[in-house]
């Protein structure tokens, strides 16, 4: 009966049409017909779900607001309050310090990298103007590096600054594993391509040294352009050749007049008048011409200082024989101001404070030899004037302190101006050094005269301000700090203390002479340490974005 109903095509008792119409062959049922999830015949399919994706049992029910996300849990080693401090490890790691940003001066970047181990130094970026794709021309880069270092060292720059400039040049041309070394007269640079390759080493000896701060600034500008603008080797060599061909900015007669102006201004600082000014200027100019004559004959620098010290001392002894009350001691003191090697003294102490002890010892030994030459020249004249001629030189005559602040400030600025000309500075830096020297004397006078502070700490404070201002100007102009510092410390040099020591030695008063000489040495060290401390303070507190702190050597505690 069932087969008859399926074949007849009549309606089912429920009213549904027969799924198998007559005349058509029945297909075999599919596998879905045997699935447990397939609804049986005659049962309608369930409606589709409203949401396309089923909800998870962890999802929030409708109408319930989500809780705000909590801040990430801080590290147990991080300081409270979210403040970061370089002594702690931040919870998200330490940000990478970049030493190749253009915002930081190349001096700061190179000083930082010199104190780093070779493996921790950042790799230099490849220059776009590099001519050889295989790599930089190592011998030519090393030769250019040595030539630049030679000009800086011969110009009186400190050993650390010379090393920083040499490393900056080599690093700019892609020599990452480079080690420069600077001593008093020898420059060495070594480059090792990798740990398995043999190093390439070159050296150069500095045989002649001269004072030309115009050329020194030109070299600094060249290093700055190499480090920031990517000059090619040909461009760098061309500019270096132009520097060597350029003549000094001031003629010989101008330098002689500047030495006379320096001595006359120095004599006014210690109480001299117009006659003393003229006498000191004439004696200093004669000494300068005599030193030039000795240099033309090929005599060493020691004998040049002996020759330069003779005329000022002779002028002072001659004036002491006149019936007029002329301060002969002020004349000799002014002549000594023009001869004291303050530049070499500051550079020697700076090298010692920064860890270059060999170079510092050599520089200070050079200063000692030059001072001995001055002593010999002055003592010969003083001994003849005191013991042979029977002249009486009163050292207290130069110590007649007068309240002449305006005259002394003008004299200090004239002294700094003349010193800047003798150092062959650029004309736009002369007036800056002159103002800096006037500020130094104002600070010294306010401390020593008004506040009655001891001259040694007063000198150190004034020299510290000179070093601070000079370093700020050097960082602003991307040049050396020496043109802004060396001439400005001229009014602070211990000329009178040196003269009194020599005069007491000539009069066989050894204890008083040693006391004066010790005071002169203390003043000289105060100047050098003050200048260096002012420069270091500017680097310490006036940080530049992108520049890390320079690493310092650890204390050895005597071993």
């Amino acid at each position: 009966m069932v087969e008859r109903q399926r074949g007849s095509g009549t309606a089912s008792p429920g009213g549904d049409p027969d799924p198998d119409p007559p005349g058509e062959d029945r297909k075999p049922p599919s596998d879905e017909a045997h699935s447990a999830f397939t609804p049986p015949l005659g049962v309608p399919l369930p409606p589709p779900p409203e949401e396309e994706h089923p909800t998870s049992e962890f999802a929030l029910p409708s109408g319930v607001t989500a809780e705000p996300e909590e801040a990430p849990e801080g590290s147990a080693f991080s300081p409270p309050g979210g403040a970061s401090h370089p002594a702690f490890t931040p919870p998200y790691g330490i940000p990478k310090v970049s030493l190749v940003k253009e915002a930081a001066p190349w001096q700061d970047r190179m000083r930082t990298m010199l104190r780093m181990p070779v493996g921790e130094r950042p790799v230099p970026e490849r220059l776009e103007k590099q001519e050889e794709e295989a790599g930089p021309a190592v011998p030519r880069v090393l030769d250019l590096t040595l030539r630049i270092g030679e000009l800086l060292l011969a110009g009186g720059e400190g050993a650390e600054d010379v090393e920083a400039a040499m490393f900056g040049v080599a690093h700019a041309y892609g020599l990452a594993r480079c080690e420069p070394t600077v001593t008093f007269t020898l420059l060495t640079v070594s480059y090792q391509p990798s740990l398995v390759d043999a190093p390439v080493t070159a050296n150069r000896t500095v045989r002649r040294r001269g004072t030309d701060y115009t050329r020194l600034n030109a070299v600094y500008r060249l290093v700055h352009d190499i480090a920031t603008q990517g000059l090619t080797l040909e461009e760098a060599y061309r500019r270096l050749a132009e520097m060597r061909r350029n003549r000094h900015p001031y003629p010989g007669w101008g330098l002689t007049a500047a030495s006379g102006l320096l001595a006359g201004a120095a004599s006014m600082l210690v109480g001299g008048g117009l006659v003393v000014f003229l006498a000191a200027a004439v004696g200093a100019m004669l000494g300068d011409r005599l030193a030039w004559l000795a240099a033309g004959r090929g005599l060493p620098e020691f004998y040049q200082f002996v020759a330069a010290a003779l005329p000022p001392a002779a002028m002072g002894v001659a004036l002491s024989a006149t019936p007029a009350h002329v301060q002969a001691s002020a004349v000799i003191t002014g002549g000594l101001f023009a001869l004291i090697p303050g530049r070499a003294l500051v550079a020697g102490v700076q090298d010692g404070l920064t860890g270059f002890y060999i170079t510092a010892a050599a520089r200070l030994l050079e200063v000692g030899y030059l001072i001995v030459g001055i002593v010999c020249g002055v003592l010969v004249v003083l001994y003849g004037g005191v013991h042979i001629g029977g002249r009486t030189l009163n050292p207290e005559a130069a110590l007649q302190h007068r309240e002449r602040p305006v005259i002394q400030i003008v004299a200090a600025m004239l002294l700094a101006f003349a010193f800047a000309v003798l150092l062959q500075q650029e004309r736009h830096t002369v007036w800056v050094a002159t103002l800096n020297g006037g500020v130094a004397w104002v600070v010294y006078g306010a401390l020593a005269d008004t506040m009655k502070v001891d001259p040694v700490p007063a000198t150190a404070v004034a020299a510290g301000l000179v070093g601070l201002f000079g370093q700020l100007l050097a960082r602003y102009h991307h040049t050396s700090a020496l043109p802004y510092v060396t001439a400005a410390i001229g009014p602070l040099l211990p000329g009178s203390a040196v003269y009194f020591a020599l005069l007491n030695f000539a009069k066989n008063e050894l204890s008083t002479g040693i006391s004066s000489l010790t005071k002169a040495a203390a003043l000289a060290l105060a100047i050098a340490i003050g200048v260096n401390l002012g420069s270091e303070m500017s680097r310490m507190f006036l940080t530049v974005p992108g520049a890390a702190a320079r690493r310092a050597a650890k204390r050895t505690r005597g071993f």
Side-chain angles (χ1 to χ4, degrees):
M1 180 177 64
V2 175
E3 293 178 358
R4 186 176 59 250
Q5 290 177 354
R6 292 179 178 178
S8 62
T10 58
S12 61
D16 294 337
D18 191 355
D20 295 331
E24 293 185 3
D25 296 336
R26 296 181 66 241
K27 295 181 180 180
S30 62
D31 294 339
E32 295 180 357
H34 304 284
S35 175
F37 300 98
T38 304
L41 295 175
V43 178
L45 294 176
E50 295 180 1
E51 296 182 1
E52 189 172 337
H53 301 285
T55 59
S56 171
E57 61 179 349
F58 300 100
L60 293 175
S62 58
V64 180
T65 58
E67 297 181 0
E69 297 183 1
E70 297 182 358
E73 183 179 359
S75 173
F77 299 97
S78 61
S84 60
H85 193 274
F88 302 94
T89 302
Y92 299 102
I94 300 175
K96 181 180 179 181
V97 178
S98 176
L99 297 176
V100 295
K101 292 183 179 180
E102 299 297 337
W106 64 266
Q107 295 96 328
D108 294 340
R109 291 186 280 122
M110 295 306 119
R111 287 192 189 97
T112 303
M113 296 177 65
L114 279 174
R115 299 297 178 93
M116 284 185 175
V118 179
E120 298 181 8
R121 293 175 181 171
V123 179
E125 298 178 358
R126 180 73 64 180
L127 293 176
E128 297 180 359
K129 295 184 178 181
Q130 192 65 41
E131 299 177 358
E132 301 177 3
E133 297 182 357
V138 175
R140 297 189 64 195
V141 172
L142 296 184
D143 179 71
L144 177 66
T145 302
L146 289 173
R147 291 179 182 273
I148 290 177
E150 178 189 9
L151 290 179
L152 293 177
L153 188 61
E157 192 61 84
E160 185 183 30
D161 295 324
V162 176
E163 281 195 1
M166 293 175 63
F167 185 79
V169 174
H171 191 270
Y173 286 110
L175 304 187
R177 306 179 65 88
C178 182
E179 290 292 342
T181 304
V182 176
T183 57
F184 185 55
T185 57
L186 181 64
L187 299 170
T188 305
V189 59
S190 178
Y191 170 67
Q192 189 175 11
S194 64
L195 295 176
V196 296
D197 294 332
V200 180
T201 304
N203 55 54
R204 196 173 185 88
T205 303
V206 179
R207 303 189 183 278
R208 295 186 60 185
R209 287 172 295 165
T211 304
D212 190 346
Y213 283 177
T214 299
R215 181 178 296 174
L216 189 69
N217 277 343
V219 175
Y220 261 81
R221 284 192 291 267
L222 173 61
V223 177
H224 174 71
D225 293 342
I226 291 175
T228 58
Q229 300 180 10
L231 296 180
T232 62
L233 288 175
E234 283 70 19
E235 294 173 348
Y237 268 109
R238 178 181 56 81
R239 291 180 55 176
L240 195 63
E242 291 177 357
M243 296 176 197
R244 291 182 175 274
R245 287 195 300 266
N246 288 340
R247 299 178 60 86
H248 298 303
Y250 306 105
W253 63 267
L255 300 180
T256 301
S259 63
L261 179 61
L262 191 154
S267 65
M268 295 182 66
L269 280 179
V270 293
L274 180 59
V275 177
V276 173
F277 177 89
L278 295 176
V282 171
M285 288 189 291
L286 292 176
D288 181 76
R289 287 292 90 191
L290 192 59
W292 277 100
L293 180 62
R297 298 295 180 180
L299 293 178
E301 197 172 11
F302 175 84
Y303 299 104
Q304 298 176 24
F305 272 79
V306 173
L310 292 174
M315 186 69 66
V317 172
L319 286 177
S320 65
T322 60
H325 297 284
V326 179
Q327 298 177 357
S329 299
V331 175
I332 302 176
T333 300
L336 290 178
F337 264 89
L339 298 178
I340 295 177
R343 172 183 58 87
L345 176 65
V346 172
V349 175
Q350 180 180 359
D351 289 341
L353 294 176
T354 52
F356 295 86
Y357 301 114
I358 297 177
T359 307
R363 288 185 187 272
L364 293 178
L365 184 61
E366 179 193 28
V367 171
Y369 270 104
L370 298 181
I371 291 179
V372 169
I374 299 173
V375 168
C376 292
V378 175
L379 278 181
V380 168
V381 178
L382 292 182
Y383 187 84
V386 173
H387 294 277
I388 300 177
R391 307 302 180 190
T392 301
L393 295 177
N394 183 14
E396 300 296 331
L399 294 179
Q400 294 179 358
H401 185 71
R402 304 176 185 176
E403 294 294 336
R404 304 186 304 171
V406 177
I407 295 178
Q408 290 181 336
I409 292 174
V410 173
M413 296 180 68
L414 288 177
L415 193 154
F417 171 80
F419 208 169
V421 173
L422 287 176
L423 295 174
Q424 303 279 0
Q425 293 186 194
E426 294 177 327
R427 289 177 172 83
H428 70 275
T429 63
V430 171
W431 68 271
V432 180
T434 302
L435 292 178
N436 204 4
V439 171
W441 183 259
V442 168
V443 173
Y444 172 79
L447 293 176
D449 297 338
T450 304
M451 302 179 63
K452 306 302 178 181
V453 180
D454 188 81
V456 175
T459 302
V461 172
L465 290 179
V466 169
L468 178 61
F469 294 156
Q471 190 62 230
L472 292 178
L473 293 171
R475 291 163 71 92
Y476 179 76
H477 293 287
H478 300 286
T479 58
S480 173
L482 291 181
Y484 307 105
V485 171
T486 307
I489 65 173
L492 305 176
L493 293 176
S496 58
V498 173
Y499 164 69
F500 294 149
L502 301 182
L503 181 58
N504 289 317
F505 287 152
K507 299 171 69 174
N508 292 326
E509 298 177 0
L510 298 182
S511 60
T512 308
I514 292 176
S515 177
S516 299
L517 192 61
T518 304
K519 180 181 178 181
L523 292 173
L525 290 177
I527 293 173
I529 295 175
V531 169
N532 181 262
L533 184 60
S535 301
E536 294 296 334
M537 288 178 62
S538 66
R539 299 192 189 108
M540 184 184 305
F541 296 107
L542 301 177
T543 57
V544 182
R550 178 182 59 180
R551 297 187 179 185
K554 295 182 179 180
R555 291 181 58 189
T556 58
R557 293 180 175 85
F559 55 86

